[in-house]
Amino acid sequence: MKKLALILCLFAGGLLLVNAHHLPMWGDPASPASLHVSPFYIENAYEHTQAPNMVAVVLADYRSYDTMFEAAVVLTAGLACFFLLRTKGRKQIGPQYYRHIPTGVTLRIEEGGKLPPEDSKVFRPIDTLWTPFDPIIRTTCRCLIPFLQIYSLYVLAHGHYSPGGGFQAGVVLGATIILLAISRNLKTAIHRMNERVTALFSIIGVAIFAGTGTLCLLLGMDFLNYDILAPFLLSDTVMARSHSILIVEIGVTMAVMAVMVWIYYNLSSAGQQDEGL
């Protein structure tokens, strides 16, 4: 399997290198992108969507195919980490780690061993050395996380008018869950958002994007051509494109946030999702 993966990587890399010289030079003013594509975007983005942020229009409207497949790639990364690392349902090999919540001490349980009871002699010396968690870190994170989550929603909703959008909002939102796991512990984060929710959100996020395009197709328009959605969005075709950009950005936000958290759960705990870092 590793040899096959290596052959595929070499083949793909060689293919790119062989055809790289056909591409225009970086920043070439005579390239097709500079002569035709970019001027079209600059001259028509606002007229077509009433969205001042040209980048959002390009990513979610003119080049929405690219963005949809980028979201699909993000989902694929999450699935790959899950299938490669997740050990649930398999025979766990090697030691297991459990965190003693009151002290934060991580216990190493050798393979085949069991976690001792809370009142056993194993925990007595730990309890005598008990010191509270750093209140500065916990309190700071506790104060920051709600504001960061609100800010991520602002970045999502305001992506038409200022720098931002679905990817940025998803990263900020996912970072808050990871910050919770780091400042407290992995189990607390999983309790707030478990693996099933992350997997479900990842798939739903991509499905929102692809579903919007499919709906356009079923209504007789090109895939991801938002004009046809105007009657459903109670607007004209221009505002329908603007509203549709927000819809697909919501899908991207969900996918990026959920996959980011999903990958962290598996990477930080080697797929066991017990105590993490």
Side-chain angles (χ1 to χ4, degrees), residues 22 50 131 169 174 183 197 199 239:
H22 293 297
Q50 293 293 305
T131 54
S183 63
V197 173
M239 291 309 298

Side-chain angles (χ1 to χ4, degrees), residues 99-102 104 106 133 138 177-192 264-265 268 274-277:
R99 182 167 298 177
H100 185 232
I101 299 298
T106 301
F133 287 111
R138 277 198 167 190
I177 305 298
I178 295 175
L179 189 60
L180 176 67
I182 293 174
S183 63
R184 298 179 70 87
N185 53 66
L186 187 61
K187 285 186 176 179
T188 300
I190 291 176
H191 178 70
R192 300 291 178 87
Y264 175 80
Y265 285 170
S268 64
D274 44 11
E275 293 300 339
L277 297 176

Side-chain angles (χ1 to χ4, degrees), residues 8-138:
L8 290 175
C9 288
L10 291 175
F11 175 75
L15 197 62
L16 290 173
L17 289 175
V18 168
N19 291 283
H21 68 279
H22 293 297
L23 297 174
M25 296 297 292
W26 178 261
D28 183 3
S31 66
S34 300
L35 291 176
H36 308 291
V37 181
S38 297
F40 178 82
Y41 292 164
I42 294 171
E43 294 170 3
N44 297 288
Y46 185 77
E47 181 183 352
H48 287 168
T49 64
Q50 293 293 305
N53 186 1
M54 192 187 308
V55 176
V57 177
V58 173
L59 291 179
D61 190 301
Y62 292 139
R63 297 182 59 181
S64 51
Y65 275 77
D66 292 353
T67 308
M68 187 189 72
F69 284 112
E70 286 169 4
V73 169
V74 171
L75 172 61
T76 304
L79 290 171
C81 285
F82 172 78
F83 287 115
L84 289 174
L85 297 175
R86 193 71 172 100
T87 58
K88 184 179 181 180
R90 305 175 192 170
K91 184 179 179 181
Q92 296 184 347
I93 301 174
Q96 307 297 310
Y97 295 92
Y98 295 92
R99 182 167 298 177
H100 185 232
I101 299 298
T103 62
V105 174
T106 301
L107 301 178
R108 175 190 172 98
I109 309 299
E110 295 297 336
E111 185 176 357
K114 294 182 179 179
L115 185 68
E118 288 282 340
D119 57 349
S120 67
K121 64 180 182 181
V122 174
F123 289 104
R124 290 172 192 162
I126 297 176
D127 292 337
T128 60
L129 298 174
W130 180 80
T131 54
F133 287 111
D134 190 336
I136 296 177
I137 295 176
R138 277 198 167 190

Side-chain angles (χ1 to χ4, degrees), residues 57-275:
V57 177
V58 173
L59 291 179
D61 190 301
Y62 292 139
R63 297 182 59 181
S64 51
Y65 275 77
D66 292 353
T67 308
M68 187 189 72
F69 284 112
E70 286 169 4
V73 169
V74 171
L75 172 61
T76 304
L79 290 171
C81 285
F82 172 78
F83 287 115
L84 289 174
L85 297 175
R86 193 71 172 100
T87 58
K88 184 179 181 180
R90 305 175 192 170
K91 184 179 179 181
Q92 296 184 347
I93 301 174
Q96 307 297 310
Y97 295 92
Y98 295 92
R99 182 167 298 177
H100 185 232
I101 299 298
T103 62
V105 174
T106 301
L107 301 178
R108 175 190 172 98
I109 309 299
E110 295 297 336
E111 185 176 357
K114 294 182 179 179
L115 185 68
E118 288 282 340
D119 57 349
S120 67
K121 64 180 182 181
V122 174
F123 289 104
R124 290 172 192 162
I126 297 176
D127 292 337
T128 60
L129 298 174
W130 180 80
T131 54
F133 287 111
D134 190 336
I136 296 177
I137 295 176
R138 277 198 167 190
T139 305
T140 302
C141 293
R142 188 173 183 178
C143 294
L144 279 177
I145 287 174
F147 289 104
L148 288 172
Q149 291 177 336
I150 293 173
Y151 179 69
S152 69
L153 297 179
Y154 166 79
V155 171
L156 168 64
H158 211 254
H160 293 57
Y161 301 95
S162 62
F167 286 99
Q168 294 84 348
V171 168
V172 175
L173 200 56
T176 62
I177 305 298
I178 295 175
L179 189 60
L180 176 67
I182 293 174
S183 63
R184 298 179 70 87
N185 53 66
L186 187 61
K187 285 186 176 179
T188 300
I190 291 176
H191 178 70
R192 300 291 178 87
M193 176 179 280
N194 61 40
E195 187 178 40
R196 290 184 180 179
V197 173
T198 59
L200 192 61
F201 273 35
S202 305
I203 296 171
I204 289 177
V206 177
I208 288 175
F209 206 140
T212 304
T214 304
L215 181 59
C216 298
L217 198 63
L218 293 175
L219 293 173
M221 191 60 77
D222 295 334
F223 190 74
L224 289 172
N225 189 333
Y226 308 130
D227 292 353
I228 196 67
L229 300 179
F232 299 95
L233 299 174
L234 304 178
S235 62
D236 55 24
T237 55
V238 174
M239 291 309 298
R241 294 176 74 163
S242 179
H243 296 331
S244 299
I245 290 174
L246 178 60
I247 292 173
V248 299
E249 294 277 23
I250 291 173
V252 171
T253 300
M254 292 178 62
V256 171
M257 178 272 296
V259 170
M260 188 173 160
V261 174
W262 197 10
I263 290 176
Y264 175 80
Y265 285 170
N266 285 313
L267 285 181
S268 64
S269 63
Q272 298 181 16
Q273 297 193 9
D274 44 11
E275 293 300 339

